[in-house]
Amino acid sequence: MSRSSPMPVFDGHNDVLLRLMRGKIQPEKAFLEGDNIGHLDWPRMKQGGMFGGFFAVYVSSEEMGIDIDALMARPEYDVPLPPMLDLAPSQKVTVHMASILIRIERASNGEVKICRSASDIRHCLDHGKLAAILHIEGAEGIDPDLHMLDVLYESGLRSIGPVWSRPNIFGHGVPFRYPSTPDTGPGLTDRGRELVKTCNRLKIMVDLSHLNEKGFWDVAKLTDAPLVATHSNAHVVCPHSRNLTDKQLAAIRESRGMVGVNFATSFIRPDGMRSDDTPLEEMIRHMDHLIEHVGVDGVGFGSDFDGATIPAEIGDARGLPRLVDAMRRHGYDEATLRKLCYENWINVLERTWGR
């Protein structure tokens, strides 16, 4: 790879499917041809070197009449969580969003592949294709008997976060609370434990990012797979409920797991505020801490593109080379950069899924 080419990037989390579902342009056209809305589309990904990542299916709650931006601009905040969602409408949205990714793949003339194995991702990297992982963020669309899990697995689902931040039948997530530890309530339910066991059997990766601390340890007791948080940061650097304690990081390291550094400014900044005026050096502080506690083979990116306020210096997917350059100036050598930008994700997925 020449230094004139952007470093390849594989990313742990994006919410582009939700943005496309809400958009006015045909989703396949908007994504494949580019719409310059939000953070992510295929033309901008190629410009920034981003060749793949986890594409989240997330069922949004109805608006609650809360100005979240105003709340998270305060020195302390505790954003009220929405109530549990009903199964039928959640399933409808889940199928809709999964179908958007399937239709993007179908319309791409071979440029986009929904990846079911680590070798699929490596093939995409070698041939200039987009490697997309179908991911569930909050299992509201999955029924208690897990029939929908089977259907989604056959559609390409290979990663699932049992909860977003609101509660569901599988467990409890962390609120958007600052300052706060992630120890905010009960963890997995009995149905949640069964979901994790079934995912282990199917080799679906279980994402820990929105689980609270008790839920994290519930998963750690149940699984023999690497512990993975696709888009989370270091609690020591930013004491937000969404971030991981050093004890959690030690468990991730012991399991040969992975943490994707979240670009969301409220989880980066030591003051917990949501502001795009956040220096890249603050992100790199999290990377340093995660590398120290998880190891250089267990850290990557988990951008939260199209789902968060990110630093203005990045802007959108085209700004990833600016982040990589900042990491290079900080002192990360080229071998370390390759690990952080894409190699670690491929390797942990191979350890989770097999080849």
Side-chain angles (χ1 to χ4, degrees):
M1 182 191 70
S2 71
R3 284 290 293 269
S4 61
S5 301
M7 174 72 71
V9 169
F10 191 87
D11 180 59
H13 189 87
N14 75 65
D15 284 295
V16 70
L17 297 178
L18 178 63
R19 181 177 70 74
L20 293 170
M21 184 181 72
R22 290 172 167 174
K24 297 180 180 179
I25 305 172
Q26 183 186 43
E28 310 95 279
K29 179 180 177 68
F31 182 79
L32 293 170
E33 297 182 12
D35 60 6
N36 286 315
I37 300 171
H39 299 138
L40 217 57
D41 53 43
W42 185 216
R44 284 182 286 171
M45 292 172 76
K46 286 188 280 191
Q47 289 179 62
M50 185 176 173
F51 76 94
F54 292 68
F55 284 65
V57 170
Y58 162 67
V59 182
S60 178
S61 296
E62 294 297 320
E63 296 298 326
M64 298 176 63
I66 298 169
D67 188 341
I68 294 177
D69 284 333
L71 282 175
M72 295 178 76
R74 299 173 182 171
E76 298 183 4
Y77 52 81
D78 187 359
V79 178
L81 287 176
M84 291 178 63
L85 299 179
D86 293 332
L87 177 62
S90 298
Q91 285 190 333
K92 182 177 180 180
V93 173
T94 297
V95 171
H96 184 177
M97 292 181 70
S99 76
I100 290 174
L101 187 58
I102 291 167
R103 291 180 181 187
I104 287 171
E105 180 187 47
R106 186 184 299 148
S108 72
N109 295 318
E111 282 200 59
V112 178
K113 181 173 181 58
I114 298 174
C115 294
R116 294 163 167 82
S117 66
S119 61
D120 282 348
I121 299 172
R122 290 195 174 95
H123 175 84
C124 290
L125 173 63
D126 292 341
H127 293 85
K129 298 182 179 183
L130 171 58
I133 295 174
L134 180 58
H135 168 75
I136 294 288
E137 182 179 34
E140 279 80 3
I142 295 176
D143 56 285
D145 295 318
L146 308 183
H147 297 146
M148 180 59 79
L149 184 68
D150 291 330
V151 173
L152 290 168
Y153 178 82
E154 294 302 321
S155 299
L157 180 72
R158 292 298 182 272
S159 174
I160 185 168
V163 299
W164 179 67
S165 286
R166 69 188 158 229
N168 63 25
I169 63 170
F170 300 108
H172 297 261
V174 285
F176 296 95
R177 181 183 298 165
Y178 176 91
S180 173
T181 74
D183 186 12
T184 59
L188 295 179
T189 64
D190 288 342
R191 287 170 174 163
R193 293 182 181 89
E194 190 58 39
L195 174 64
V196 171
K197 292 176 185 177
T198 303
C199 288
N200 285 344
R201 190 161 60 248
L202 293 173
K203 296 192 180 298
I204 297 172
M205 192 190 83
V206 176
D207 178 20
L208 302 166
S209 274
H210 278 272
L211 278 167
N212 61 23
E213 190 168 3
K214 286 186 174 64
F216 177 101
W217 296 116
D218 287 340
V219 173
K221 291 174 186 175
L222 289 167
T223 188
D224 56 3
L227 298 176
V228 177
T230 60
H231 56 307
S232 293
N233 293 340
H235 191 270
V236 164
V237 181
C238 169
H240 197 291
S241 58
R242 271 281 278 108
N243 288 337
L244 298 164
T245 67
D246 286 355
K247 185 178 179 182
Q248 290 173 301
L249 297 179
I252 292 171
R253 180 174 192 147
E254 184 176 352
S255 75
R256 298 182 68 209
M258 181 86 183
V259 180
V261 174
N262 195 325
F263 296 8
T265 57
S266 50
F267 311 141
I268 296 171
R269 297 169 60 95
D271 61 11
M273 293 187 185
R274 182 183 287 189
S275 170
D276 67 0
D277 184 20
T278 300
L280 297 184
E281 289 74 18
E282 295 288 358
M283 290 182 63
I284 295 172
R285 286 183 63 198
H286 286 273
M287 291 179 194
D288 283 345
H289 189 85
L290 293 171
I291 289 169
E292 179 184 354
H293 288 266
V294 181
V296 73
D297 296 322
V299 181
F301 294 160
S303 69
D304 222 341
F305 276 147
D306 279 326
T309 299
I310 68 170
E313 288 184 71
I314 297 175
D316 60 24
R318 292 170 294 188
L320 287 167
R322 290 193 287 273
L323 173 58
V324 175
D325 284 344
M327 295 161 64
R328 188 176 282 122
R329 290 193 302 271
H330 183 69
Y332 296 157
D333 61 27
E334 295 304 304
T336 299
L337 288 172
R338 287 192 296 273
K339 288 184 176 187
L340 299 175
C341 288
Y342 66 95
E343 288 178 351
N344 289 344
W345 271 123
I346 299 174
N347 291 336
V348 79
L349 291 172
E350 185 171 88
R351 293 195 292 273
T352 303
W353 299 340
R355 294 178 183 273

